[in-house]
Amino acid sequence: MPFTSLGFSPAILPALLRSLAEKDYLRPTAIQTAAIPAILQGRDVLASAQTGSGKTAAFALPLLQQLSEAPVSGTRRVRALILVPTRELAAQVGEVMVTLGKYLPQRIKVAVVFGGVSINPQMMNLRSGADIMVATPGRLLDLIDHNALNLGSVNTLVLDEADRLLDLGFGEELGRILGMLPVQRQTLFFSATFPPAIEALAQSLLSAPLRIEVAATPQAAPDIVQRAIEVDPPRRTQLLRHLVQTEKWERVLVFVATKHAAEIVADKLRKADIEAEPFHGELSQGKRTQVLQDFKAKAVQVVVATDVAARGIDIAQMSVVVNYDLPRSAVDYTHRIGRTGRAGESGMAISFVSASTEAHFRLIEKRQGLSVAREQIAGFEALETQPVNAADPLSNGGIKGKRPSKKDKLRAAAAAAAAERE
Ligand code: AMP
């Protein structure tokens, strides 16, 4: 579907198409196709989307139309507020807004504010008001406290990377800001992951939202180096140990399929003098909190987690994510690797692939539109050539030489089909 079919008003469409063409946005991405018509109709949106999906333009374009349709007379008042977790993202979103809006018949003023720099120029800039405010929460509150703006005219709130906003400890600031916004408004909520705190926040803010879930596109994760290393399943722990030690990673999140595997792998790493901890649903809350604190403080270098437990890990900057066991689906893959390389940081995602998991990894690549070169690490070359346990593509290696039964084959086919569907 082209940009012309998304419901933009004829009055501004030529101006938007011109700026889109200059940016080489020839066709809308999946999230743009899904979100733009709904936002233009005034609906709330709840989108599960990562950086790279094209989410910024998905909210920027309809906002620009809404603001152009209701031009201001007199002082500009903030009508669209975009809250972001980091200054890098604030600058990036502001830039997209300005470039996409530059040919509109009405000038839309975009103000970008974030902390860590002097507040005075930001206050001066706000004297003549602004139509769109892109802000990190702390600095926004400072400016409000200085009477540099108020939020009483905000019609649209965008929470961008909501999970990171909470990860970075902006929960309290967010609460204060939300309390200052008009109750009647449109809310657009974007998050890469949906741990319980984010689900609860979304529930409290949104009214009958359109739910959108998109996997990252290939250009999706520009800062994440994705690698696939071929290794026989029984040698994965040794390889992991070798990589942690030789590549000197600071903070590593390793994904495994079971609680048992989390315990075993962490234990073996500890025996090799690596600060490693398991992280899964059977640990007490106290233990989990302790592990997270130590991980944050860099007292723990490696956390070996199951997918479900890892949702509670509110640490954004992971140097490396390792898929010791492959994720079940392409969507899970996106969520896992999204834990590294965020907000302009570079990161690395490594998947261990063996003869028995190769087909499953290919499906993930296909779903992601990816092609990751297979590597071998000297001393850990994969020797197995046949799937050793076709029954379970996610198995910990299976039993060497075991021939799959008919039931095994059916199960494997069903698992592959499920992964394809997701
Ligand atoms: P975002 O997810 O908003 O951070 O965008 C990720 C990248 O995709 C950015 O480099 C955008 O410039 C680019 N992008 C966004 N929308 C499109 C589109 N429709 N066509 C091509 N590239 C796009």
Side-chain angles (χ1 to χ4, degrees):
M1 188 186 282
F3 278 111
T4 47
S5 310
L6 297 181
F8 290 112
S9 97
I12 66 150
L13 187 60
L16 292 183
L17 291 178
R18 192 171 160 199
S19 54
L20 286 166
E22 274 183 13
K23 281 183 85 65
D24 257 349
Y25 291 8
L26 302 179
R27 297 184 67 79
T29 63
I31 191 159
Q32 290 160 8
T33 305
I36 289 173
I39 300 174
L40 285 172
Q41 285 160 19
R43 277 192 76 175
D44 283 2
V45 165
L46 174 57
S48 163
Q50 300 224 326
T51 297
S53 55
K55 65 185 168 62
T56 314
F59 62 77
L61 291 164
L63 277 183
L64 288 167
Q65 162 156 330
Q66 285 166 351
L67 294 172
S68 325
E69 277 177 344
V72 276
S73 54
T75 311
R76 293 172 193 274
R77 298 174 68 82
V78 175
R79 289 173 291 157
L81 173 65
I82 303 163
L83 290 176
V84 296
T86 63
R87 63 166 84 180
E88 294 82 7
L89 190 58
Q92 200 179 310
V93 170
E95 203 261 335
V96 171
M97 285 282 181
V98 170
T99 46
L100 289 179
K102 72 179 176 185
Y103 297 116
L104 291 173
Q106 300 279 342
R107 178 174 168 255
I108 305 284
K109 182 172 166 192
V110 182
V112 178
V113 300
F114 46 75
V117 295
S118 166
I119 198 170
N120 292 333
Q122 295 176 354
M123 287 176 63
M124 294 283 283
N125 182 35
L126 287 173
R127 282 206 183 144
S128 51
D131 300 298
I132 299 176
M133 167 70 74
V134 187
T136 54
R139 179 52 59 95
L140 182 71
L141 286 171
D142 285 349
L143 286 161
I144 292 168
D145 291 344
H146 282 84
N147 290 323
L149 83 153
N150 80 66
L151 301 178
S153 304
V154 170
N155 299 319
T156 312
L157 167 71
V158 180
L159 284 186
D160 195 8
E161 299 200 1
D163 48 357
R164 288 214 71 208
L165 275 165
L166 291 195
D167 280 356
L168 295 177
F170 282 127
E172 209 180 306
E173 283 90 343
L174 213 52
R176 264 190 74 196
I177 294 168
L178 294 171
M180 296 177 193
L181 293 171
V183 179
Q184 276 292 338
R185 60 160 198 268
Q186 184 178 20
T187 303
L188 313 175
F189 193 106
F190 293 81
S191 191
T193 59
F194 281 81
I198 287 293
E199 280 289 353
L201 182 64
Q203 284 280 333
S204 71
L205 291 180
L206 297 162
S207 147
L210 173 72
R211 284 192 91 112
I212 301 171
E213 178 145 349
V214 291
T217 47
Q219 79 264 38
D223 317 302
I224 303 175
V225 176
Q226 298 181 57
R227 297 170 60 187
I229 301 180
E230 289 177 341
V231 58
D232 292 332
R235 304 210 61 206
R236 286 175 298 178
T237 310
Q238 281 165 287
L239 174 60
L240 180 61
R241 192 180 83 195
H242 171 78
L243 291 171
V244 170
Q245 285 169 337
T246 53
E247 303 211 3
K248 301 200 167 33
W249 297 326
E250 269 199 338
R251 200 182 270 140
V252 189
L253 179 59
V254 177
F255 283 96
V256 292
T258 63
K259 294 163 192 161
H260 183 64
E263 290 286 347
I264 304 263
V265 174
D267 191 50
K268 286 192 178 155
L269 292 176
R270 267 202 308 269
K271 287 192 174 126
D273 283 336
I274 294 169
E275 295 299 338
E277 289 289 344
F279 198 79
H280 55 71
E282 266 169 29
L283 298 176
S284 69
Q285 192 54 48
K287 172 74 182 162
R288 287 213 245 175
T289 309
Q290 185 62 47
V291 171
L292 287 186
Q293 268 172 11
D294 291 346
F295 203 27
K296 266 187 197 159
K298 299 196 178 158
V300 164
Q301 187 182 7
V302 184
V303 164
V304 187
T306 57
D307 281 286
V308 175
R311 288 192 199 129
I313 299 181
D314 61 345
I315 300 170
Q317 265 99 34
M318 219 61 74
S319 350
V320 185
V321 166
V322 176
N323 291 318
Y324 182 102
D325 286 314
L326 291 179
R328 294 201 165 263
S329 68
V331 173
D332 285 348
Y333 181 81
T334 306
H335 284 273
R336 285 185 181 185
I337 73 167
R339 300 235 163 218
T340 181
R342 296 171 124 186
E345 306 269 329
S346 62
M348 194 189 289
I350 294 183
S351 299
F352 287 169
V353 183
S354 69
S356 52
T357 59
E358 173 63 29
H360 184 69
F361 192 66
R362 268 197 228 135
L363 272 180
I364 291 174
E365 285 181 295
K366 192 171 143 202
R367 290 287 298 152
Q368 299 285 85
L370 275 177
S371 173
V372 184
R374 304 293 188 269
E375 294 172 45
Q376 300 250 5
I377 302 289
F380 296 91
E381 291 85 354
L383 302 174
E384 288 172 3
T385 49
Q386 292 297 315
V388 288
N389 183 3
D392 182 0
L394 305 168
S395 80
N396 290 341
I399 306 151
K400 214 168 188 167
K402 178 183 180 256
R403 289 178 62 134
S405 67
K406 195 169 161 193
K407 208 164 147 194
D408 286 342
K409 284 182 191 157
L410 283 173
R411 244 191 257 137
E420 174 83 292
R421 268 200 309 278
E422 276 181 55

